[in-house]
Amino acid sequence: MSIRMLRRFIAEACSGMVRNGLMTIASLFVVTSCLFIFGVFMVITMNINYIGEQLANECQIQAYITSEAKYGGKIQGISDRIKQIEGINEVSFETGEATFANFKSGLSKSELAAFEGLPENIISDSFKVTLTDINLSEAVVAKLEAIEGVERVENKQDIMNIVNNVTQIIRHVSIWIVIIFAIISLFIISNTIKLTVHSRGREINIMKYVGATDAYIRWPFIIEGILVGCASAVVSFFITQGAYMGVLSAVEGNTALSALLNLRTFSEIWNQILLSYLLLGAFIGAFGSAISVRRYLKV
Amino acid sequence: MRCSEVIIFDKVFKTYENGFVALEDISFHIEKGEFVFLVGSSAAGKSTIIKLMMKELDQSDGDIFINGIDLGDLRRKDIPYFRRTLGVVFQDFRLLPNKTAQENVAYAMEIVGASTREIRKTVPNVLSMVGLAHKAKMYPNQLSGGEQQRVAIARAIVNNPAVLIADEPTGNLDPDTALEIMDIMEAINRRGTTVVMATHAEKIVDNMQKRVIVIEKGHVAHDEKKGGYSYVD
């Protein structure tokens, strides 16, 4: 395609959009709405993954070591072996004294009285381990238990399992919602584009009669579809930004919610949202136009 | 085939998918520079002949040659290039509604890859030729029927086709406007363009005394060098 042709196609696409203003606005509205709803689920999925990651980090596994290992100089060896286990995010060493002091710091005076007189080294030294993926907890626990010098492994398995199950379910559901909604959007949008093209079916026939090739007719429509898709993407992006900022400030304003939900800031996710919108909008616009024009080319 | 023959129909048959036999054993030759009327009653087969000439339809049997191209062998992807060798004018004008008169004419040049400079030079000349230079920037809905047909003719001839095919070009026009359109068609013919025109306009055919091919029930009933409409039953 020559530069001259491309310029003509773009000019043709722009004038098509302007001269069919109402249909262009209708397409823009539908594509924007679909992209926005798609974006809502996308943002929810992104935040669920983020919350899942945070929970995984917060769910620590504690591997207590035997006194033989402690006094036999095996601490470094155990630390190295732990670091080799797949799915380990961070490993930190804690002395028994520190663990006991931490435990006591959470107790009231009356409760502390019960622990008076006990030696400070009553608890074994331990390694605190966080995971990259909460799903790996069982496998990691098994591997930690198998390490020589590890006395016992303590993990909040019940809590982990609940968190794990809930995040898994929400993650799966939201991914399916995103996929299903993307398909529904594709269907709705391509039908809207079909309507736009249908209103110009006679125009396409005339172009065929005067000797225009299929490609010559199709390209301006495809470019028009891409332009409408991209314009809708930008509009949806700004609507999403406004809505997301609104949700963020509502969450921040509510103490209970903000303690529970630590959401991503918009600056962390804006590029992913804009890119997804632009790609999806342009693809749907181009694909919908190409398919819709095809049926009018058979003259 | 003589090289002066630009249109050849040789034993052409056309049966539609519903079984209707539109043409049976149609044969005629049209030479370069001729002006030919295709006449006949409704559903006689005139429009089918025009559609076959434009390769809008495929013949069921027989051979059709236009400008030396065997339409039976023409591949689908080559049809647009074949149509560029023809100028076509329809009863309902078929102008692009969202383009001005000059843009409609320019479109026919754009699709053949003409440069912008060439288009800017040629389009005003062709619009002047059909007497519409002053309405170049008007949209079809701002023009009268006769003016729209002039734009359609300008578009049809802007690429200097060897053959101009017109399907009832005066069918939607009042008698005076129809005569003006026929003057333009005759002027185009005088420049050497072969004109084939399907029509019901009895007076026009009688006045012009050009070759008349009468189609009746899918057959060539008469073929007169200088005929009139009276041959139609």
Side-chain angles (χ1 to χ4, degrees):
Chain A
M1 189 194 302
S2 68
I3 301 283
R4 187 170 69 199
M5 284 291 187
L6 185 65
R7 266 211 316 260
R8 268 183 198 159
F9 290 156
I10 293 172
E12 193 78 17
C14 292
S15 82
M17 280 168 71
V18 173
R19 287 169 183 176
N20 296 281
L22 270 180
M23 286 311 287
T24 305
I25 290 169
S27 301
L28 200 89
F29 182 76
V30 173
V31 179
T32 301
S33 314
C34 289
L35 285 179
F36 174 69
I37 298 169
F38 167 78
V40 167
F41 286 110
M42 194 175 86
V43 167
I44 290 173
T45 310
M46 286 163 101
N47 275 296
I48 284 168
N49 285 336
Y50 184 57
I51 291 168
E53 279 168 26
Q54 288 171 343
L55 287 172
N57 283 336
E58 281 166 18
C59 286
Q60 285 181 342
I61 297 173
Q62 208 155 1
Y64 294 91
I65 59 169
T66 58
S67 51
E68 291 80 25
K70 180 181 178 181
Y71 297 110
K74 290 179 181 168
I75 293 174
Q76 187 57 47
I78 294 171
S79 170
D80 292 342
R81 287 193 64 185
I82 292 174
K83 283 173 185 165
Q84 284 168 6
I85 297 173
E86 195 194 335
I88 299 290
N89 183 32
E90 274 178 19
V91 181
S92 60
F93 181 74
E94 193 174 72
T95 60
E97 289 83 353
T99 311
F100 192 40
N102 273 341
F103 170 72
K104 287 198 291 186
S105 67
L107 300 177
S108 64
K109 270 189 180 176
S110 57
E111 287 167 332
L112 275 173
F115 295 96
E116 264 177 33
L118 285 174
E120 291 297 310
N121 64 350
I122 191 170
I123 298 176
S124 304
D125 292 351
S126 64
F127 284 97
K128 283 185 169 179
V129 171
T130 60
L131 303 178
T132 53
D133 185 349
I134 203 165
N135 297 322
L136 299 170
S137 63
E138 276 182 53
V140 170
V141 167
K143 283 179 184 164
L144 285 172
E145 281 171 344
I147 295 172
E148 196 189 330
V150 170
E151 188 178 37
R152 64 192 168 86
V153 177
E154 197 176 81
N155 71 328
K156 295 157 185 153
Q157 192 64 49
D158 293 346
I159 299 171
M160 273 192 169
N161 283 344
I162 292 167
V163 169
N164 195 6
N165 289 340
V166 170
T167 53
Q168 281 285 0
I169 289 168
I170 297 176
R171 204 179 289 176
H172 279 132
V173 168
S174 58
I175 285 170
W176 275 109
I177 288 174
V178 166
I179 292 170
I180 290 168
F181 203 78
I183 294 168
I184 293 171
S185 303
L186 196 81
F187 181 74
I188 295 172
I189 293 167
S190 63
N191 267 311
T192 312
I193 293 169
K194 251 184 215 164
L195 272 179
T196 315
V197 174
H198 179 73
S199 69
R200 289 155 74 182
R202 188 176 149 78
E203 202 177 314
I204 296 170
N205 282 343
I206 296 169
M207 291 171 179
K208 287 288 288 184
Y209 284 125
V210 294
T213 58
D214 290 357
Y216 195 93
I217 296 168
R218 198 182 283 129
W219 271 111
F221 281 98
I222 291 176
I223 293 172
E224 200 176 318
I226 292 173
L227 290 177
V228 169
C230 290
S232 308
V234 172
V235 175
S236 303
F237 173 76
F238 285 117
I239 295 173
T240 309
Q241 184 185 23
Y244 195 75
M245 299 303 251
V247 170
L248 276 186
S249 67
V251 169
E252 277 164 20
N254 184 315
T255 327
L257 262 182
S258 61
L260 196 68
L261 291 175
N262 185 14
L263 300 177
R264 283 188 180 276
T265 60
F266 194 72
S267 59
E268 286 176 317
I269 55 171
W270 73 270
N271 47 358
Q272 290 178 60
I273 296 174
L274 185 60
L275 189 69
S276 310
Y277 280 1
L278 284 173
L279 287 177
L280 195 65
F283 170 76
I284 289 170
F287 185 73
S289 297
I291 294 288
S292 312
V293 170
R294 213 172 61 161
R295 60 181 286 218
Y296 296 100
L297 293 175
K298 292 170 187 162
V299 180
Chain B
M1 178 172 64
R2 285 184 306 207
C3 62
S4 61
E5 290 168 339
V6 288
I7 298 175
I8 297 171
F9 269 59
D10 188 23
K11 296 180 179 128
V12 174
F13 290 75
K14 175 63 191 174
T15 306
Y16 285 98
E17 278 176 10
N18 62 5
F20 175 70
V21 181
L23 299 178
E24 262 183 297
D25 198 16
I26 292 273
S27 295
F28 58 79
H29 294 198
I30 296 174
E31 299 212 354
K32 189 171 184 290
E34 269 195 287
F35 194 122
V36 181
F37 286 114
L38 277 179
V39 298
S41 51
S42 294
K46 305 187 298 294
S47 290
T48 302
I49 291 175
I50 296 286
K51 284 177 180 169
L52 288 172
M53 284 181 180
M54 289 167 50
K55 193 63 180 172
E56 192 182 332
L57 294 174
D58 296 324
Q59 69 266 36
S60 308
D61 200 4
D63 295 313
I64 302 172
F65 291 88
I66 311 262
N67 292 327
I69 297 166
D70 182 351
L71 298 198
D73 283 349
L74 199 62
R75 287 173 299 180
R76 200 184 118 71
K77 71 180 179 66
D78 293 325
I79 293 174
Y81 302 100
F82 160 70
R83 284 184 182 156
R84 293 174 192 179
T85 69
L86 308 173
V88 190
V89 179
F90 300 94
Q91 180 175 1
D92 56 356
F93 324 130
R94 299 199 189 174
L95 297 175
L96 295 166
N98 292 323
K99 288 185 186 291
T100 62
Q102 68 181 12
E103 286 170 345
N104 263 284
V105 180
Y107 189 80
M109 290 188 80
E110 286 169 9
I111 60 170
V112 299
S115 69
T116 310
R117 184 185 288 181
E118 226 175 319
I119 293 171
R120 282 196 189 133
K121 195 177 139 200
T122 312
V123 171
N125 288 342
V126 180
L127 281 172
S128 294
M129 200 185 141
V130 296
L132 269 188
H134 61 297
K135 294 197 170 175
K137 290 188 175 165
M138 289 196 168
Y139 288 94
N141 62 4
Q142 296 171 312
L143 300 171
S144 68
E147 288 167 339
Q148 287 188 56
Q149 197 58 293
R150 285 167 194 237
V151 177
I153 292 171
R155 180 182 64 188
I157 61 169
V158 74
N159 290 327
N160 290 315
V163 178
L164 177 66
I165 296 169
D167 189 7
E168 305 271 6
T170 58
N172 282 355
L173 307 175
D174 62 74
D176 289 342
T177 312
L179 286 176
E180 286 169 20
I181 293 295
M182 288 317 298
D183 287 343
I184 295 170
M185 300 286 273
E186 210 174 2
I188 292 165
N189 178 240
R190 277 200 299 271
R191 293 193 321 176
T193 308
T194 308
V195 178
V196 180
M197 177 171 154
T199 187
H200 275 116
E202 199 175 328
K203 273 188 183 168
I204 288 172
V205 178
D206 288 341
N207 284 343
M208 289 187 68
Q209 288 296 301
K210 302 285 187 186
R211 181 177 168 191
V212 176
I213 298 174
V214 183
I215 309 294
E216 287 298 342
K217 292 176 183 168
H219 297 271
V220 175
H222 294 279
D223 187 348
E224 300 293 328
K225 277 290 168 197
K226 285 193 174 183
Y229 203 85
S230 51
Y231 293 105
V232 180
D233 290 336

